[in-house]
Amino acid sequence: MSQPMNITALSIGGALIASLALAQGDPLAGAVAARHAHMDLYAFNLGVLGGMAQGAVAYDAGAATAAADNLVALASINQTNYWLPGTESGAVEGSRTKVELWSAMDDLTARQAALVDAAAAMQAGAGTDLVSLQAAMGPLGSACGACHMAYRVPN
Amino acid sequence: MSQPMNITALSIGGALIASLALAQGDPLAGAVAARHAHMDLYAFNLGVLGGMAQGAVAYDAGAATAAADNLVALASINQTNYWLPGTESGAVEGSRTKVELWSAMDDLTARQAALVDAAAAMQAGAGTDLVSLQAAMGPLGSACGACHMAYRVPN
């Protein structure tokens, strides 16, 4: 089975079809799309927590814990294949990433580690009570914003 | 801090702003958007593996392992908040989910567990060699397709 595998086997899942388009069609656009999808999932899970923190949604320890668990899982995702050189703002439609990011990988790694820490703190607090959830929200927002402010072109 | 927290603290990260829109604007549309983002990330990581499996991209044990690790992490994400009742095809724009899904949660759980198993098998094979990666690709595609065929409206 060292020859290219039968495409039929790959086409069972619609996701696979899309994935092959991403991988083989335009890798740079695919990488930017993956970044946006990843950010959307951060946003969705943060939204669950933010809605509770603001009092717009009733506190629910189980839902809050699930959202916090998911943030930790998302923050642990290996993003090497997302941040391809040549995908900065202006080079790929929809990208808002400053080109400076690619010469600041050590700083990016440190900020990513800070996000993991903030998500872990939320994971510890989210299921405890609303006050603990609220206390973890600010540092989590700051950890998100630290990368955005440094490496994202303002709207 | 039991009163609604200061919105300024939440607005540091752009993602948080989007998240609050998702959570407070239209929860059903937000849930569908989160599902699509999640599927996009499956697709992206599958694309890395599929490109290698097909011979379109040179086999790279590190990149393949990262993609497989990510699939396991994504499959472990708690999706309870994504699959809200009332988000079936026809009820929310862009949704292709059959309404039957909401009366088949045990089956869905089983299919999800099968996906985790298939992703774990890919995780075991992806870093070994191309033949092992290719061998894990079919079952992984089948696990994706099992849910799509049962619970997704055809295009």
Side-chain angles (χ1 to χ4, degrees), chain B residues 44-151:
Chain B
F44 180 79
N45 288 286
L46 286 164
V48 172
L49 297 162
M52 295 183 201
Q54 289 195 302
V57 176
Y59 174 71
D60 177 320
T65 298
D69 288 349
N70 289 349
L71 289 174
V72 172
L74 288 166
S76 77
I77 294 268
N78 184 319
Q79 299 189 29
T80 308
N81 294 319
Y82 295 179
W83 299 96
L84 301 182
T87 57
E88 71 273 15
S89 173
V92 176
E93 189 177 344
S95 173
R96 289 172 59 198
T97 308
K98 292 182 185 174
V99 72
E100 288 84 352
L101 178 138
W102 283 273
S103 52
M105 282 295 153
D106 287 351
D107 183 60
L108 187 69
T109 300
R111 289 172 197 254
Q112 178 72 20
L115 175 61
V116 172
D117 289 347
M122 176 59 85
Q123 193 177 34
T128 305
D129 54 31
L130 180 57
V131 171
S132 301
L133 184 157
Q134 288 172 324
M137 201 74 200
L140 188 53
S142 297
C144 294
C147 268
H148 295 161
M149 284 188 290
Y151 299 116

Side-chain angles (χ1 to χ4, degrees), chain A residues 77-101:
Chain A
I77 293 268
N78 184 320
Q79 299 189 29
T80 308
N81 294 319
Y82 295 177
W83 299 96
L84 301 182
T87 57
E88 71 274 15
S89 174
V92 177
E93 189 176 344
S95 173
R96 289 172 60 199
T97 308
K98 292 182 184 174
V99 71
E100 289 83 350
L101 178 140

Side-chain angles (χ1 to χ4, degrees), chain B residues 3-66:
Chain B
Q3 73 277 32
M5 69 184 303
N6 188 330
I7 186 65
T8 305
L10 288 174
S11 66
I12 294 171
L16 276 170
I17 297 171
S19 75
L20 294 173
L22 284 172
Q24 296 171 7
D26 182 346
L28 300 186
V32 172
R35 277 149 37 188
H36 291 171
H38 197 95
M39 297 299 168
D40 285 348
L41 290 182
Y42 280 142
F44 180 79
N45 288 286
L46 286 164
V48 172
L49 297 162
M52 295 183 201
Q54 289 195 302
V57 176
Y59 174 71
D60 177 320
T65 298

Side-chain angles (χ1 to χ4, degrees), chain A residues 46-58:
Chain A
L46 285 164
V48 172
L49 297 161
M52 295 182 200
Q54 289 196 302
V57 176

Side-chain angles (χ1 to χ4, degrees), chain A residues 70-150:
Chain A
N70 289 349
L71 289 174
V72 172
L74 289 166
S76 77
I77 293 268
N78 184 320
Q79 299 189 29
T80 308
N81 294 319
Y82 295 177
W83 299 96
L84 301 182
T87 57
E88 71 274 15
S89 174
V92 177
E93 189 176 344
S95 173
R96 289 172 60 199
T97 308
K98 292 182 184 174
V99 71
E100 289 83 350
L101 178 140
W102 283 273
S103 51
M105 282 297 153
D106 287 351
D107 183 60
L108 186 69
T109 300
R111 289 172 197 255
Q112 178 71 21
L115 175 61
V116 172
D117 289 348
M122 176 59 85
Q123 192 177 36
T128 305
D129 54 33
L130 179 57
V131 171
S132 301
L133 184 157
Q134 289 173 323
M137 201 72 200
L140 188 53
S142 296
C144 294
C147 268
H148 294 162
M149 285 188 288

